[in-house]
């Protein structure tokens, strides 16, 4: 989500309009194993691959004759990327002439989206609909609105069950759904007009448990803890059911006796699939529906616990999450993107987050862990679980006292045992296995931000985005956002006398930011500006090279993509990295070097298909960097932990394992432990965040949810850093996404859009990527100068300055 769409379009201008359509609704660069990615879709991901289709014998231009639908769609995307609308028409006309009858016949077989197992049988239909969608989008971009409206309406009517494959996400998107969104834009419809906001209603339990904290040893016995043969055997299920209370396993019957269930059923509040209740504000209905759902018991238990947590029933939530860990630790479910999701690991993170945020509960969770061998691939059949269910206890007097002591006293690190990096920036591993970063011999925790301040009205779609490092809108000799922004304290979208110019650099310094993340491939770096940012504000730069992601640096075209086995591509990428290091190695603001941005997910590169070649090349690059600059470490920006095992085997020269991770408000779960066991390297989160908007939430509630998400994520980073008793000790910081809202991301750069992108682990259930800023731009009338500081800003200002 370092906004691959942003990177691509800012790099190429209209030359990356390929993303304008193909990634319109799937442009965020994240595929974390987030639980809520399961929630709202009736479409599941699958393989779009099928045998080449033999076209019908119809006339076509010589260069298109005999082309498969797959080839024709690629040509459409390529033409879209060039803004060549004449070519789009030519290719689409050939597609329709050759394949329309077959496509319509295939669609006539359907009354719903086809199952994943047979979706390849409908490739002709999907490709024809995708080509028609590209042409409709092209008409819209040309301003031919009447023709675009008619084209979208025809698509919705003719192909309601057509899907387009998004290789960057590994998932399908509905052509009709996205056509409706574009149609709404053309017709001036506002999603906000249809939002119904209601206050959340908490579950009401008729028979709560007799035990506030359940000691499972009283009711059964644990066997083979820490091994794949783990199991919990209940000695007296009836007594345990009374102890845990209604809705929590093994108490599965009392919920039907709850008067609230009968009333909700009578009122029709329980109609529909249980998945329809994943994001509802009617938490009572959500609890009742999930507690009685015909679903995998582990998944079922997670969402029962989630309804308790959202409703403020924290003791019940903890008991429900713990019941999942005790009874169903090996449950495996699947995300929207068809990646494995492990509810027990998420439940452990949830318990820890609740206890962090609610010290008044006076509880501690000890020894809980679910380790999964082979979890870093997408094959759940080879997973091996090692289960430690843990115990929940009341805090002792000693534990309470230790909370008040400095971490250095609570956890003595021991003597340094290993050093990575160099003189300017180093990484030190201590006798207890914990890692710390040092800058000029001083401890340094990475408190970074993604900083891309885009002026309202500007869009990379039409090539109007200026490089913020040189933007001077009023020509007064000072760069706009870093030096001339001001805070709209009262939210009236006007600069009042008591709202002086302060500048983003100063605001970030006051917040506690000590680094920003930049890539040299896609923008010219203003060295003088960066030097001032460092010398006057103490903010450093994590400098990155995309290493072939989005075809940047390799010389490949988008449709072909970077090939990590291609000698010429490798040479060009190595040259790009060498140029970066030689140009910036003597700059005092450089913190460390960062390679890639979720290359393991693909997107105009084949690291997802050739991960061994990719990580071996990354290792060669890291080695070369250290030859040129031995004073700083090298990091990678992975996509979560996918292919972590291959990275560990093939990239020993990389010092820091970094990853973009979006799992939920509780933090990163098993990430730290998994990385520690696989690599024994220091780790960081190269990107995390949440939107300040959610469908059904007030703006104030949206800000609260965003702040809570960031707080849970940062505290998880902190508690897994050096010196904390209960963490893994390998966390060295993170990069929050992002500083300021960017309005262009839903194709209407002068409008702060509330269109849902795709499902995500956030309060509103979706990625609203125009709302990820820690600060907003108000009504946009005073952009690029006005800032409205959100609650999350003040949260960080408190946490990052301690």
């Amino acid at each position: 989500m370092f906004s691959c769409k942003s990177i691509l379009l800012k790099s190429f201008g209209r030359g990356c309009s390929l993303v304008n359509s193909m990634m319109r609704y799937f442009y965020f660069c994240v595929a974390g194993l987030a639980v809520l990615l399961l929630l709202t879709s009736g479409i599941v991901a699958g393989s779009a691959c099928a045998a080449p289709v033999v076209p019908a014998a119809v006339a076509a231009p010589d260069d298109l004759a005999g082309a498969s639908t797959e080839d024709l769609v690629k040509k459409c995307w390529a033409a879209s990327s060039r803004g060549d609308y004449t070519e789009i028409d030519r290719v689409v006309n050939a597609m329709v002439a050759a394949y329309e009858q077959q496509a319509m016949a295939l669609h006539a077989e359907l009354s719903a989206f086809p199952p994943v197992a047979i979706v390849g049988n409908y490739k002709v239909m999907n490709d024809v609909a995708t080509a028609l969608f590209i042409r409709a989008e092209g008409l819209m971009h040309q301003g031919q609105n009447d023709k675009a409206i008619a084209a979208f309406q025809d698509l919705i009517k003719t192909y309601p069950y057509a899907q387009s494959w998004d290789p960057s996400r590994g998932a399908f998107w509905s052509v009709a759904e996205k056509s409706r969104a574009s149609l709404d834009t053309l017709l001036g419809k506002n999603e906000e007009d249809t939002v119904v906001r209601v206050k959340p209603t908490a579950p009401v339990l008729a028979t709560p448990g007799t035990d506030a904290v359940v000691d499972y040893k009283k009711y059964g016995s644990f066997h083979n803890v820490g091994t794949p043969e783990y199991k919990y055997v209940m000695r007296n299920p009836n007594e345990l059911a009374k102890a845990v209370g209604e809705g929590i396993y093994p108490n599965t019957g009392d919920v039907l006796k709850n008067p609230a269930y009968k009333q909700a059923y009578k009122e029709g509040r329980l109609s529909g699939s249980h998945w329809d209740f994943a994001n509802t504000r009617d938490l009572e209905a959500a609890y009742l529906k999930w507690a009685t759902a015909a679903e995998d018991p582990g998944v079922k238990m997670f969402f029962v616990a989630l309804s308790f947590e959202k409703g403020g029933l924290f003791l019940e939530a903890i008991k429900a999450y713990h019941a999942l860990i005790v009874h169903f630790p090996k449950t495996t479910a699947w995300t929207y993107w068809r990646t494995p999701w492990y509810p027990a690991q998420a439940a452990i993170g949830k318990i820890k987050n609740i206890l962090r945020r609610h010290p008044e509960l006076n509880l501690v969770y000890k020894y809980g862990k679910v380790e999964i061998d082979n979890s870093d691939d997408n094959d759940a059949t080879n997973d091996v679980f090692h289960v430690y269910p843990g115990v929940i206890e009341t805090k002792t007097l000693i534990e309470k006292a230790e909370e008040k002591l400095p971490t250095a006293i609570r956890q003595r690190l021991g003597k340094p045992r290993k050093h990575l990096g160099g003189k300017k920036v180093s990484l030190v591993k201590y006798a207890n296995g914990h890692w710390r970063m040092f800058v000029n011999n001083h401890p340094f925790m990475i408190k970074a931000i993604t900083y891309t301040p885009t002026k309202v009205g500007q869009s990379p779609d039409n090539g109007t985005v200026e490089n913020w490092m040189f933007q001077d809108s009023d020509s007064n000799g000072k760069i706009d956002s870093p030096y001339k922004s001001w805070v709209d304290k009262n939210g009236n979208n006007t600069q009042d006398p008591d709202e002086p110019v302060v500048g983003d650099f100063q605001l970030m310094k006051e917040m506690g930011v000590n680094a920003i993340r930049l890539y040299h491939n896609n923008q010219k770096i203003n060295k003088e500006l960066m030097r001032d940012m460092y010398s006057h504000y103490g903010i450093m730069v994590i400098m990155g090279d995309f290493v072939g992601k989005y075809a940047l640096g390799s010389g490949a075209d988008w449709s072909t993509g970077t090939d990590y086995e291609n000698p010429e591509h490798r040479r060009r990428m190595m040259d790009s990295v060498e140029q970066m290091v030689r140009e910036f190695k003597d700059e005092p603001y450089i913190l460390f070097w960062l390679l890639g941005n979720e290359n393991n997910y693909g997107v105009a590169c084949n690291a997802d298909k050739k991960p061994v070649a990719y990580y071996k090349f990354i290792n060669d690059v890291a080695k070369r960097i250290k030859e040129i600059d031995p004073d700083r470490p090298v990091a990678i920006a992975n996509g979560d932990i996918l292919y972590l095992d291959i990275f560990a085997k093939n990239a020993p020269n990389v010092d820091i394992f970094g990853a973009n991770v979006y799992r939920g408000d509780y933090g990163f779960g098993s990430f730290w432990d998994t990385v520690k066991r696989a690599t024994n390297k220091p780790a960081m989160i190269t990107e995390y965040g949440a939107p300040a908007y959610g469908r059904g939430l007030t703006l104030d509630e949206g800000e609260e949810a965003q702040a809570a998400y960031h707080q849970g994520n940062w505290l998880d980073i902190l508690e897994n850093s050096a010196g904390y008793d209960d963490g893994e000790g390998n966390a060295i910081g993170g990069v929050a996404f992002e500083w300021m809202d960017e309005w262009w991301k839903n194709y209407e750069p002068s409008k702060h859009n509330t269109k849902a992108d795709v499902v995500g682990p956030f309060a509103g259930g979706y990625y609203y990527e125009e709302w990820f800023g820690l600060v907003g731009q108000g009504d946009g009338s005073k952009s690029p100068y006005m800032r409205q500081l959100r609650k999350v800003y003040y949260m960080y200002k408190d946490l990052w300055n301690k």
Side-chain angles (χ1 to χ4, degrees), residues 173-324:
W173 49 268
S174 165
V175 173
E177 178 187 348
K178 306 317 172 189
S179 295
R180 287 189 192 95
S182 295
L183 191 59
D184 286 347
T185 297
L186 289 167
L187 297 176
K189 293 183 179 179
N190 188 345
E191 185 183 12
E192 281 287 281
D193 297 338
T194 66
V195 174
V196 178
R197 293 188 171 89
V198 296
K199 292 183 178 181
T201 56
V204 176
L205 303 182
T207 54
T210 58
D211 295 5
V213 176
V214 178
D215 179 0
Y216 277 92
K217 290 182 179 179
K218 290 172 55 178
Y219 305 100
S221 56
F222 293 97
H223 299 266
N224 304 312
V225 171
T227 75
E229 289 74 38
Y230 163 87
K231 63 179 178 179
Y232 175 72
V233 178
M234 290 182 286
R235 186 167 50 250
N236 193 328
N238 292 333
E239 290 301 314
L240 179 57
K242 293 177 183 178
V244 295
E246 172 188 325
I248 301 174
Y249 189 84
N251 191 330
T252 57
D254 282 1
V255 64
L256 296 174
K257 303 174 185 176
N258 189 332
Y261 178 85
K262 298 177 182 179
Q263 183 66 25
Y265 185 86
K266 181 179 179 181
E267 294 170 352
R269 288 160 55 208
L270 302 182
S271 299
S273 165
H274 48 281
W275 291 110
D276 298 334
F277 290 75
N279 287 313
T280 180
R281 303 275 277 173
D282 187 348
L283 299 175
E284 180 178 71
Y287 157 65
L288 296 170
K289 187 71 176 182
W290 275 102
T292 56
E295 181 59 78
D296 179 284
V299 174
K300 175 177 171 178
M301 199 76 271
F302 185 91
F303 285 98
V304 166
L306 187 63
S307 66
F308 288 152
E309 181 185 356
K310 289 181 177 180
L313 303 179
F314 300 118
L315 285 175
E316 283 73 17
I318 290 171
K319 286 196 291 184
Y321 284 130
H322 197 208
L324 160 58

Side-chain angles (χ1 to χ4, degrees), residues 590-774:
I590 298 296
L591 182 58
F592 58 83
W593 309 106
L594 185 66
L595 300 177
N597 184 55
E598 301 178 342
N599 300 41
N600 56 317
Y601 291 152
V603 187
C605 75
N606 64 7
D608 58 331
K609 299 178 180 63
K610 298 180 179 180
V612 174
Y614 166 65
Y615 289 115
K616 283 185 175 181
F617 179 67
I618 286 293
N619 192 61
D620 293 341
V621 171
K623 180 180 179 181
R624 183 63 181 133
I625 289 175
K626 292 177 180 182
E627 292 171 351
I628 302 172
D629 177 26
D631 284 338
R632 297 180 180 87
V634 180
I636 190 172
N638 210 59
D640 211 291
I641 61 168
L642 182 63
Y643 302 133
L644 177 61
D645 58 335
I646 299 176
F647 165 83
K649 294 176 183 177
N650 295 284
N653 285 316
V654 176
D655 303 307
I656 303 166
F657 183 80
N660 297 355
V661 185
Y662 294 79
R663 296 194 183 185
D665 61 356
Y666 59 89
F668 310 100
S670 61
F671 174 83
W672 309 107
D673 171 63
T674 303
V675 173
K676 185 176 183 178
R677 289 189 294 116
T679 72
N680 203 20
K681 294 178 184 285
M684 67 174 291
I685 306 300
T686 44
E687 196 178 284
Y688 68 95
Y693 174 85
R695 187 172 176 84
L697 306 179
T698 65
L699 293 180
D700 188 67
E701 288 171 333
E703 283 197 30
E704 288 280 2
Q706 181 191 40
Y709 189 105
H710 274 270
Q711 183 183 49
N713 278 224
W714 178 255
L715 290 178
D716 189 55
I717 291 172
L718 187 65
E719 293 182 11
N720 282 281
S721 64
Y724 281 81
D725 293 339
D726 297 328
E728 301 299 332
N730 57 345
I732 59 172
V735 184
F737 184 87
E738 63 178 324
W739 172 250
M740 186 172 80
D741 287 347
E742 297 181 90
W743 286 28
W744 59 269
K745 292 184 174 179
N746 262 307
Y747 287 82
E748 297 170 287
S750 295
K751 178 182 177 182
H752 204 188
N753 218 302
T754 56
K755 289 179 181 177
D757 303 316
V758 292
V759 291
F762 311 115
Y766 287 86
Y767 279 90
Y768 294 93
E769 202 180 352
E770 289 195 6
W771 292 79
F772 267 72
L774 275 59

Side-chain angles (χ1 to χ4, degrees), residues 112-131:
F113 291 106
V116 174
I118 62 170
V119 70
N121 298 343
Y122 296 88
K123 182 171 177 55
V124 170
M125 175 195 75
N126 289 334
D127 287 346
V128 168
T130 300

Side-chain angles (χ1 to χ4, degrees), residues 47-118:
S47 172
C49 300
V53 179
V54 179
V58 295
D62 290 343
D63 63 321
L64 301 179
S68 68
T69 58
E70 182 175 356
D71 290 338
L72 292 171
V73 166
K74 286 181 178 179
K75 290 181 181 294
C76 284
W77 288 127
S80 176
S81 73
R82 301 189 302 270
D84 188 344
Y85 303 113
T86 300
E87 177 66 4
I88 291 174
D89 281 341
R90 191 177 78 93
V91 177
V92 173
N93 287 339
M95 172 84 88
V96 169
Y99 295 106
E100 184 178 45
Q101 290 186 357
Q102 185 180 354
M104 296 181 70
L106 286 169
H107 197 280
E109 300 175 3
L110 299 173
S111 58
F113 291 106
V116 174
I118 62 170

Side-chain angles (χ1 to χ4, degrees), residues 322 325 348 351-352 355 363-368 389-392:
H322 197 208
I325 300 163
I348 291 172
I351 292 174
K352 290 181 177 180
L355 295 180
L363 297 175
V364 62
Y365 180 46
K366 299 179 180 178
Y367 319 122
V391 295
I392 298 170

Side-chain angles (χ1 to χ4, degrees), residues 360-586:
E360 72 277 6
L361 296 175
N362 196 35
L363 297 175
V364 62
Y365 180 46
K366 299 179 180 178
Y367 319 122
K369 184 180 293 188
V370 176
E371 298 176 348
I372 308 174
D373 297 338
N374 306 316
S375 63
D376 42 16
D377 59 20
N378 283 338
D379 180 5
T381 63
N382 63 0
D383 291 342
V384 180
F385 291 77
H386 303 268
V387 181
Y388 304 85
V391 295
I392 298 170
E393 299 175 342
T394 302
K395 289 179 182 176
T396 66
L397 292 176
I398 293 177
E399 288 165 336
K400 291 180 184 178
E402 284 183 342
E403 288 180 350
K404 299 178 182 179
L405 298 176
T407 58
I409 296 175
R410 288 198 293 122
Q411 178 69 57
R412 296 193 182 278
L413 301 175
K415 294 182 179 181
R417 298 297 189 194
K418 186 176 183 179
H419 289 78
L420 299 175
K423 295 179 181 179
K424 294 180 180 179
V425 183
S426 62
L427 299 157
V428 177
K429 183 181 180 182
Y430 292 88
N432 70 343
H434 289 196
W435 286 92
R436 297 181 83 179
M437 173 176 278
F438 287 81
V439 176
N440 297 322
N441 295 318
H442 295 286
F444 190 95
M445 185 75 169
I446 301 165
K447 303 171 183 176
I449 193 81
T450 301
Y451 185 72
T452 51
T454 306
K455 184 177 180 180
V456 168
Q458 293 187 356
S459 172
D461 299 338
N462 53 27
T464 59
V465 168
E466 300 176 56
N467 185 339
W468 66 267
M469 285 184 265
F470 296 91
Q471 187 178 45
D472 179 12
S473 298
D474 56 10
S475 302
N476 72 346
K478 290 186 176 181
I479 308 301
D480 287 345
S481 293
Y483 298 127
K484 293 184 287 188
S485 65
W486 50 271
V487 177
D488 181 21
K489 295 187 291 187
N490 58 11
N492 66 351
N493 294 289
T494 300
Q495 187 176 10
D496 298 317
D498 64 340
E499 296 171 344
V501 169
V502 58
D504 282 352
F505 285 175
Q506 180 63 31
L507 290 173
M508 288 194 292
K509 177 183 178 181
E510 293 175 5
M511 192 180 94
V513 173
N514 61 17
I516 63 173
R517 175 185 172 195
L518 299 176
Y519 284 84
H520 82 111
N521 307 76
N522 67 314
Q523 58 192 334
K524 181 180 179 181
I525 306 297
N526 187 333
K527 294 183 180 180
E528 183 179 348
L529 178 67
M530 296 297 98
R531 290 167 188 159
D532 186 67
M533 179 181 72
Y534 174 63
S535 62
H536 287 92
Y537 303 95
I539 299 173
M540 304 187 75
V541 173
I542 300 168
M543 184 63 74
D545 186 291
F546 287 112
V547 200
K549 181 68 180 276
Y550 324 118
L552 287 172
S554 67
D557 61 77
W558 172 273
S559 60
T560 302
T562 300
D563 180 358
Y564 292 98
E565 293 179 340
N566 183 308
E568 184 62 20
H569 290 183
R570 290 164 62 94
R571 182 191 64 78
R572 289 173 178 170
M573 288 185 286
M574 186 68 80
D575 287 348
S576 174
V577 172
E578 289 185 4
Q579 180 269 323
M580 172 187 72
V581 179
R582 294 186 189 281
E583 181 177 358
F584 295 102
K585 71 182 181 67
D586 295 324

